[in-house]
Amino acid sequence: MFKPAGTVPIGIFDSGVGGLSVWKEAIKILPGHNFIYFADSAYSPYGPRSEEEIVERSAKITEFFISQGVGMVIIACNTATSAAIAPLRERFAIPFIGMEPAVKPAAALTKSGVIGVLATKGTLSGRLYNRTLNLFASDVKVVEVVGTGLVPLVESGKTSGKEVEDLLEKYISPMVDMGADYIVLGCTHYPFLRDAIQKIAGESVTLLDPAPAVARHMYKVAKENKLIDPIGRDNILGVNLYKSCYMDTQFFSSGSTAILERMARKVIPEIPDSCFKSKRLT
Ligand code: DGL
């Protein structure tokens, strides 16, 4: 596919396939752009890992991205953002954008005064999240729940069915029982469970996923850093050729690519096998 001069690839990584929920929004905004997606599946889940380990993995992935010509990184993982965005910014001279649970809009929009936050232990105990809570959610009741076991379910390709619903019931029902009318999906894997979560929470509860806002922010930062074609051909190409833009993302996994292929093809079914590669990064 024709690539206008001046477009620089954008790297997106996560502990596994969860960051595809961010990639999906990113390609809506820059459909003709080159993306490189890295799933650190051999080290998933990040949630129970130490901050040091997550920083080390994130730095290795960033080095790989830079070797591929990447000019900006989206940390499409709340847990890795919390642990690693500051050290990555110190160490590498390219822009990083990260995830943050959508607590601010939830706190602003709630009518019941109760919001639920479903995230990993690493995210909920992190400085970033707790700073956001203090700044924006001090007036509302926040029901925090650690989604233990959900990331491995998504990583094994299970996004619906009894096993998923039984586990979600344990996590979501207490939030609803306590009156939550907004539930923040604080992990990029959870949008894949959206239907099951909505079924348990009921239609009156709104689920908030920060991915669309992160994708808009990506566009702004990419433009400021001159990573996209100055006359906007990234967009024009994408509008015209949306169906074939899968050619512009290369997918890597530190483990097997099987689930990555399956989940990415839920977004764009035609992605060819040649776009998926294993890359151990030890
Ligand atoms: N998608 C990651 C996040 O947003 C998953 C964390 C994990 O691997 O435990 O937090």
Side-chain angles (χ1 to χ4, degrees):
M1 184 178 172
F2 167 69
K3 291 308 299 175
T7 63
V8 179
I10 295 173
I12 304 179
F13 79 90
D14 176 44
S15 62
V17 297
L20 292 174
S21 61
V22 181
W23 166 75
K24 181 179 166 196
E25 298 301 323
I27 60 168
K28 279 187 198 159
I29 292 190
L30 281 178
H33 200 85
N34 283 123
F35 288 94
I36 301 180
Y37 185 92
F38 194 94
D40 202 10
S41 305
Y43 292 80
S44 176
Y46 277 179
R49 290 188 184 276
S50 70
E51 241 180 59
E52 292 70 33
E53 267 181 301
I54 298 172
V55 171
E56 196 192 320
R57 291 307 301 164
S58 303
K60 274 201 176 18
I61 295 165
T62 302
E63 279 163 4
F64 169 66
F65 279 155
I66 290 173
S67 76
Q68 302 296 305
V70 157
M72 165 182 171
V73 174
I74 304 176
I75 309 174
C77 174
N78 293 264
T79 314
T81 301
S82 178
I85 197 164
L88 289 176
R89 281 178 173 152
E90 255 171 47
R91 185 157 156 196
F92 299 97
I94 56 170
F96 289 88
I97 64 173
M99 306 300 298
E100 202 182 329
V103 165
K104 187 179 167 187
L109 292 166
T110 179
K111 290 197 174 56
S112 66
V114 184
I115 65 171
V117 181
L118 185 65
T120 68
K121 187 164 152 269
T123 298
L124 294 175
S125 58
R127 278 182 299 275
L128 270 182
Y129 168 75
N130 285 289
R131 200 175 131 254
T132 305
L133 270 194
N134 288 334
L135 281 174
F136 303 109
S138 51
D139 292 346
V140 301
K141 183 172 172 55
V142 182
V143 185
E144 294 171 351
V145 176
V146 176
T148 307
L150 294 175
V151 168
L153 276 181
V154 176
E155 286 296 316
S156 62
K158 290 184 194 142
T159 55
S160 60
K162 186 169 163 26
E163 197 182 346
V164 168
E165 285 179 20
D166 284 351
L167 198 52
L168 283 172
E169 182 76 46
K170 262 186 22 195
Y171 300 150
I172 301 300
S173 294
M175 296 180 182
V176 179
D177 291 347
M178 290 173 89
D181 56 352
Y182 281 81
I183 294 179
V184 173
L185 304 180
C187 167
T188 53
H189 282 73
Y190 301 163
F192 288 108
L193 305 170
R194 181 181 267 277
D195 291 348
I197 295 173
Q198 193 78 66
K199 187 172 156 193
I200 292 162
E203 289 306 318
S204 60
V205 174
T206 305
L207 307 181
L208 287 183
D209 168 18
V214 169
R216 289 193 296 276
H217 186 51
M218 165 206 75
Y219 181 79
K220 190 171 157 269
V221 176
K223 207 165 167 205
E224 279 164 9
N225 286 276
K226 303 189 174 22
L227 304 182
I228 53 181
D229 182 72
I231 60 164
R233 276 177 293 185
D234 278 356
N235 295 314
I236 296 162
L237 274 179
V239 169
N240 294 337
L241 300 171
Y242 184 69
K243 274 287 168 203
S244 56
C245 75
Y246 59 80
M247 295 298 292
D248 297 330
T249 300
Q250 294 296 318
F251 298 88
F252 293 88
S253 168
S254 58
S256 153
T257 60
I259 296 299
L260 187 58
E261 294 184 28
R262 198 157 119 203
M263 301 304 266
R265 286 186 178 128
K266 282 191 183 194
V267 180
I268 300 178
E270 304 87 348
I271 308 175
D273 291 350
S274 59
C275 288
F276 297 95
K277 295 179 189 77
S278 282
K279 183 85 197 163
R280 188 91 192 134
L281 288 194
T282 46

